[in-house]
Amino acid sequence: MNILLIGPQGSGKGTLAKKINRDFGLVPISTGDLFRELIAKKEKLGLEAKEYMDKGLLVPLELTLKILKARLSQPDCKRGVMFDGFPRSIEQAEALKEITNVDWVIKIDLPYEECINRMLSRRVCKGCGAIYSTTTYSSDTCEKCGGKLVQRDDDKLDAIKTRLEVYDKQTTPLIDFYADRLFVISSQDDPEDTYKPVKDFLKGKMK
Ligand code: ADP
Ligand code: ZN
């Protein structure tokens, strides 16, 4: 079974993906994370993508499909995957149709102002990738690995606004595209509360 997570930036897709992976074994595939891994390794594809990412714009389709297909060809994906951050447009959804099937789409809602606040307060550990919020954690070192907490390059107000605009214009049309397999929830302050209905839903589907 393959599922897809859709939601605006800050809605907690990544956190939700971790919980679903823990309980149901679906392999999380985040195109944003894949790009950031390539950037960290200073690979050409990553550096090409970074120019778009820093502005908050979508990376061109050809480049995105290249890294996505490479990831999907790895053996762990056979068990079923959970797409986070792909597709982000009808064009990408059409392309995905040619590659694999999507059984269920989980859409997470969060009001615009909340999205902005969550991204502005987000900090990421350089060592282990753990995510923190300055609203609940005031230290600048990771409590898990001691790594330095930094702001993502695109978690700056200009890029945040562009990303939310791109989401609104290009990604929300996917809701109609996947209307026949959609499960909608709203993002809560406590990630466990956000996860609960999703867990019940997937339990019913993964017999
Ligand atoms: P966010 O959803 O908060 O924008 P991601 O980590 O998912 O964060 O993505 C970061 C950036 O990576 C995006 O702004 C975009 O530039 C690029 N990106 C990620 N996924 C895609 C995609 N499916 N298509 C095009 N660009 C993408
Ligand atoms: Zn850490």
Side-chain angles (χ1 to χ4, degrees):
M1 183 165 101
N2 295 327
I3 69 170
L4 199 156
L5 307 179
I6 295 184
Q9 287 75 8
S11 60
K13 291 191 296 296
T15 307
L16 189 68
K18 279 194 192 116
K19 293 179 191 294
I20 296 174
N21 172 254
R22 179 193 66 196
D23 293 348
F24 297 98
L26 296 174
V27 176
I29 297 190
S30 154
T31 36
D33 284 347
L34 292 173
F35 285 132
R36 280 185 291 275
E37 279 166 27
L38 293 178
I39 292 169
K41 289 190 213 146
K42 302 218 161 39
E43 297 226 7
K44 191 167 159 276
L45 285 185
L47 299 176
E48 254 175 83
K50 191 173 192 313
E51 293 191 19
Y52 297 88
M53 294 170 74
D54 284 351
K55 294 185 191 120
L57 298 170
L58 292 190
V59 175
L61 183 65
E62 202 189 332
L63 188 52
T64 306
L65 283 179
K66 214 181 248 178
I67 60 135
L68 183 81
K69 283 182 178 165
R71 180 66 188 92
L72 280 174
S73 70
Q74 289 167 14
D76 61 331
C77 293
K78 292 212 173 64
R79 281 184 284 145
V81 299
M82 171 172 39
F83 293 103
D84 162 7
F86 186 93
R88 282 185 199 223
S89 63
I90 297 287
E91 184 188 37
Q92 292 187 358
E94 296 283 6
L96 184 61
K97 233 172 149 178
E98 305 296 318
I99 304 172
T100 189
N101 63 305
V102 171
D103 297 286
W104 297 105
V105 175
I106 295 167
K107 174 179 176 260
I108 316 173
D109 289 330
L110 187 71
Y112 182 82
E113 287 303 323
E114 265 302 293
C115 293
I116 298 221
N117 290 338
R118 285 202 196 170
M119 279 186 284
L120 284 175
S121 58
R122 174 161 65 185
R123 297 292 181 273
V124 187
C125 172
K126 266 196 135 171
C128 72
I131 294 168
Y132 293 88
S133 168
T134 55
T135 57
T136 52
Y137 189 79
S138 56
S139 164
D140 58 7
T141 47
C142 177
E143 64 180 0
K144 293 180 184 139
C145 78
K148 187 169 184 279
L149 302 190
V150 295
Q151 206 170 14
R152 239 169 71 173
D153 286 343
D154 57 353
D155 278 347
K156 308 278 156 69
L157 194 57
D158 276 356
I160 289 173
K161 285 188 171 161
T162 307
R163 282 151 68 206
L164 286 168
E165 214 175 285
V166 168
Y167 178 79
D168 193 46
K169 290 215 179 83
Q170 309 217 53
T171 310
T172 55
L174 293 180
I175 294 156
D176 283 337
F177 189 90
Y178 291 121
D180 60 345
R181 61 200 86 173
L182 200 62
F183 182 68
V184 183
I185 55 165
S186 54
S187 183
Q188 310 293 328
D189 289 334
D190 182 344
E192 277 305 321
D193 294 338
T194 309
Y195 177 48
K196 174 109 199 351
V198 177
K199 187 175 184 178
D200 293 342
F201 174 78
L202 290 177
K203 262 190 196 156
K205 302 298 173 198
M206 302 254 292
K207 297 239 170 73

